Amino acid sequence: MMLTPRQQLILSAVIEDYVRMAEPVGSRALAKHEEIQFSPATIRNEMADLEEMGYLTQPHTSSGRIPSQKGYRFYVDNLLRQGHVDRSAGAFLKDFFTKRIDEVEQVVREVSTMLSSLTRQTSIVLGPNMYTEKVRKIELIPIGSGRAVAILVTDTGHVENAHVHFSEDIRVDDVEAIVNVLNDKLVGVPISKLRSNLYAELAEELSRTVERFEDALAVLSEVCQVTDREETVYIGGAANVLSQPEFHDVEKAQSILSLLEQGGTVTSWFPKDERGLTVRIGAENSVGALQDCTVMTTTYSLYGHPVGHIGVLGPTRMDYNRIMQILQYTSAALTEFLTRWSTGN
Amino acid sequence: MMLTPRQQLILSAVIEDYVRMAEPVGSRALAKHEEIQFSPATIRNEMADLEEMGYLTQPHTSSGRIPSQKGYRFYVDNLLRQGHVDRSAGAFLKDFFTKRIDEVEQVVREVSTMLSSLTRQTSIVLGPNMYTEKVRKIELIPIGSGRAVAILVTDTGHVENAHVHFSEDIRVDDVEAIVNVLNDKLVGVPISKLRSNLYAELAEELSRTVERFEDALAVLSEVCQVTDREETVYIGGAANVLSQPEFHDVEKAQSILSLLEQGGTVTSWFPKDERGLTVRIGAENSVGALQDCTVMTTTYSLYGHPVGHIGVLGPTRMDYNRIMQILQYTSAALTEFLTRWSTGN
DNA sequence: GTTTAGCACTCGCGGAGTTGGAGTGCTAAC
DNA sequence: GTTAGCACTCCAACTCCGCGAGTGCTAAAC
């Protein structure tokens, strides 16, 4: 069942040609490759075998072959020659990451547009989540008529806020009391723990120390809800799907673009609880509209924990090698940036 | 030079038919309208005149007529029969705006997707700017190793934040001193005034009262920079451009989509310093890629001042009447929501 | 003078027929 | 096992043609 070296050679040649030209590749064309020393006839025989085994398909009898999903899978798993990002991309990336930026959000957003312009595909970036960060301070700022803004600052300087409603006649003391309890109990606690048992403990503490229990509870529940904030999704180069010949069919393109528009859906394309690089080819994506697409993703980390995802969406006919290199480089650089940033530049 | 009533009738019939069918409309088809009581021959004569005057064009000799840009312009300026949103849209809108939501950002974002699904076009919404809001409180929260987060809360509860770098050896007192001066001087000041003469005055005050002048200045300049924050841009239904027959040409569609992706550019499509409804038809848009598009926009307000924009982008062949009604309704409802929201729900 | 019927003409569109080329599978020779 | 040769397949591009929708013009009717 294993492929002979020659078959592997031919398979990768087919894939690489097809990725470049977007057209079925025939035996004559392959024979011109310098690594390939056999005659077209031999190649034809091998290709017929590869087709029989399901690695190649023919759009119609007597046209060249194109890789099947199984073919791509084998290629990604066994034939990708690891390496470094190519010259120009490397320069571009190095340049990008030496620019000094210090707002995380801005960096993440720019990574998204950078990835899409470098790969000429659509990029998807999930902003870093804050689960591992710890509460630094909670503030409660009244803004009149029984309303206030609750502000939570994490140890890395993330700021989240939520609006809270109070009873009309709450007093400044009450507000202060609430804030004090919250800060006493929550400073230093990781965001991911806010929801859990702490909630009960805090509710109890509040009921003991604070007069305005309902109001305090309102604040507490708002504060805890930051846990539920979805990671922000940045999508770059969505228009690039239209430049792929496989999406000149407007219907397909539209279905993909509408998917991309619903930020929520996109989140689910990323493998949960998996770090490092993943490649989802065609039907492996489970989402119907992505049957002809490959989604390649990886994670970036802070203090050794993956905190966000970066990914590239393109046709199954994508330059796996190049994009993989770019993603890995970017992931590493982003991780490094985050560490530098969170330890004080 | 003025059009006769009959010509106006025919012009609007042509436009309304064309908007519906997206195909050149001929004399026979028009003659079937019940408002139109003339024979096809008469209509042909009138259409020939309208073409000569530039209100209609013919894609090729002997095909129906389509409206020219000038035709649309005349239609929008003189023939649009004002009215109310149609039944189903009205119900939809009413329903949308009675849902109780209380985060401004969320409302604005949802308005964007609502507009696009209701109009089946692309919607563009600029979030409310804060120029008219006043500073409620400024906080400065150290997060270790010479860094801090500056937080600015406005009277309506907007929260903005920025990171600040200090000298390593700054003391808590210094930080407090800075915050105090800033709050003393800035609370109650409208955001729009932060940049102006106040800056100089404050710098001077800080130099007198605060030891760490450079650090104070760093904070001040970060705080003042919130003025420069661009309004957030929400784009909804970008994929809808592909469902318009005029954009089945992938090239065109792509150029529009890439434009939409650069949020910054989009901002410039909105007329500055103009309130109320504007319609930019075809070449009136000045941006090359929008030659076949119409951008219809209006503003929404808070306390009588326009604070944001909503708009719809579609082909010049759009349902001007319907979209205009929807925009006006939405603008009013959004204004009302904002007032209700900022005066305490 | 305005409106209308009639008619010849134009032009794009879709289907049918044709051709050329790229590519295959098979067979037989090396 | 490899390769040259050959017959075969099928798409893509092209041309040709007829149809139909629509026009402009003219002459008659109102």
Side-chain angles (χ1 to χ4, degrees), chain A residues 100 102-103 136-137 139 141-145 147 149 151 153-157 159 161-163 165 236-240 242-243 248 250 253-254 257-258 261 341-345, chain B residues 100 102-103 136-137 139 141-145 147 149 151 153-157 159 161-163 165 236-240 242-243 248 250 253-254 257-258 261 341-345:
Chain A
R100 187 189 167 82
D102 48 19
E103 292 287 342
R136 180 83 189 198
K137 183 146 201 190
E139 297 262 2
I141 296 167
I143 51 170
S145 56
R147 298 187 309 143
V149 189
I151 297 179
V153 184
T154 72
D155 54 351
T156 62
V159 179
N161 69 83
H163 284 232
H165 295 262
N240 286 346
L242 290 177
S243 58
H248 268 43
V250 179
Q254 193 178 4
L257 285 179
S258 353
E261 264 179 19
W341 176 84
S342 75
T343 54
N345 297 269
Chain B
R100 187 189 167 82
D102 48 18
E103 292 286 342
R136 180 83 189 196
K137 185 148 199 187
E139 298 261 3
I141 297 167
I143 51 171
S145 57
R147 300 186 309 141
V149 189
I151 297 180
V153 184
T154 72
D155 54 350
T156 62
V159 179
N161 69 82
H163 284 233
H165 296 263
N240 285 347
L242 289 177
S243 57
H248 268 42
V250 178
Q254 192 178 4
L257 286 179
S258 354
E261 264 179 18
W341 176 84
S342 75
T343 54
N345 296 271

Side-chain angles (χ1 to χ4, degrees), chain A residues 38 48 82 175 215 226 234 303 335:
Chain A
F38 338 105
Q82 293 285 344
V175 175
D215 291 331
V226 303
Y234 301 91
Y303 301 134
T335 300

Side-chain angles (χ1 to χ4, degrees), chain A residues 25-46:
Chain A
V25 353
S27 54
R28 252 179 66 90
L30 283 185
K32 285 182 186 139
H33 276 241
E34 50 181 33
E35 322 91 88
I36 296 186
Q37 300 289 10
F38 338 105
S39 78
T42 313
I43 298 173
R44 279 204 288 282
N45 288 331
E46 294 287 30

Side-chain angles (χ1 to χ4, degrees), chain A residues 27-312:
Chain A
S27 54
R28 252 179 66 90
L30 283 185
K32 285 182 186 139
H33 276 241
E34 50 181 33
E35 322 91 88
I36 296 186
Q37 300 289 10
F38 338 105
S39 78
T42 313
I43 298 173
R44 279 204 288 282
N45 288 331
E46 294 287 30
M47 290 208 292
D49 290 351
L50 283 168
E51 181 170 5
E52 211 169 323
M53 291 187 282
Y55 295 101
L56 296 178
T57 50
Q58 256 177 321
H60 50 266
T61 350
S62 93
S63 82
R65 305 301 212 287
I66 62 177
S68 68
Q69 182 179 318
K70 185 176 174 189
Y72 285 122
R73 182 83 267 169
F74 186 88
Y75 177 73
V76 168
D77 290 342
N78 306 297
L79 303 179
L80 262 190
R81 46 168 198 294
Q82 293 285 344
H84 288 288
V85 282
D86 59 276
R87 265 272 191 71
S88 65
F92 189 92
L93 281 163
K94 192 164 269 176
D95 183 60
F96 177 87
F97 279 106
T98 46
K99 273 190 306 181
R100 187 189 167 82
I101 327 176
D102 48 19
E103 292 287 342
V104 173
E105 199 210 302
Q106 195 192 346
V107 171
V108 172
R109 188 171 42 224
E110 287 189 15
V111 162
S112 154
T113 68
M114 179 276 281
L115 274 180
S116 68
S117 72
L118 198 54
T119 60
R120 303 217 148 265
Q121 307 287 357
T122 305
S123 75
I124 307 167
V125 175
L126 299 194
N129 64 42
M130 329 183 296
Y131 299 144
T132 58
E133 300 176 21
K134 295 180 182 126
V135 177
R136 180 83 189 198
K137 183 146 201 190
I138 292 170
E139 297 262 2
L140 203 49
I141 296 167
I143 51 170
S145 56
R147 298 187 309 143
V149 189
I151 297 179
L152 184 153
V153 184
T154 72
D155 54 351
T156 62
H158 259 129
V159 179
E160 287 283 338
N161 69 83
H163 284 232
V164 192
H165 295 262
F166 287 140
S167 338
E168 287 284 340
D169 56 343
I170 195 162
R171 290 195 332 264
V172 182
D173 304 5
D174 296 326
V175 175
E176 260 175 28
I178 297 172
V179 176
N180 287 339
V181 172
L182 288 181
N183 274 303
D184 273 2
K185 290 285 175 186
L186 292 183
V187 167
V189 170
I191 301 292
S192 58
K193 296 281 164 59
L194 280 186
R195 264 261 176 258
S196 58
N197 44 359
L198 260 173
Y199 187 92
E201 187 187 328
L202 256 159
E204 205 245 337
E205 170 81 12
L206 283 169
S207 75
R208 252 189 299 125
T209 47
V210 179
E211 267 182 55
R212 296 318 199 93
F213 180 57
E214 299 79 22
D215 291 331
L217 216 58
V219 180
L220 178 59
S221 97
E222 284 294 342
V223 165
C224 289
Q225 267 173 33
V226 303
T227 326
D228 305 335
R229 295 273 156 94
E230 292 161 344
E231 294 137 317
T232 26
V233 181
Y234 301 91
I235 290 177
N240 286 346
V241 298
L242 290 177
S243 58
Q244 303 300 329
E246 26 271 284
F247 300 126
H248 268 43
D249 174 9
V250 179
E251 302 272 319
K252 267 189 207 163
Q254 193 178 4
S255 69
I256 290 176
L257 285 179
S258 353
L259 267 189
L260 285 174
E261 264 179 19
Q262 314 155 256
T265 329
V266 175
T267 321
S268 68
W269 299 356
F270 289 81
K272 288 275 158 256
D273 309 321
E274 196 163 333
R275 58 196 312 167
L277 198 112
T278 49
V279 184
R280 294 252 170 90
I281 301 168
E284 297 168 11
N285 282 300
S286 73
V287 186
L290 299 185
Q291 292 306 299
D292 307 323
C293 297
T294 285
V295 180
M296 193 185 289
T297 65
T298 189
T299 52
Y300 58 94
S301 310
L302 179 59
Y303 301 134
H305 296 282
V307 291
H309 296 259
I310 58 181
V312 170

Side-chain angles (χ1 to χ4, degrees), chain B residues 14 17-18 21-26 29 57-60 63-67:
Chain B
V14 169
D17 262 32
Y18 183 60
M21 316 304 262
E23 264 167 27
V25 354
T57 50
Q58 256 178 321
H60 52 264
S63 85
R65 304 300 209 291
I66 62 176

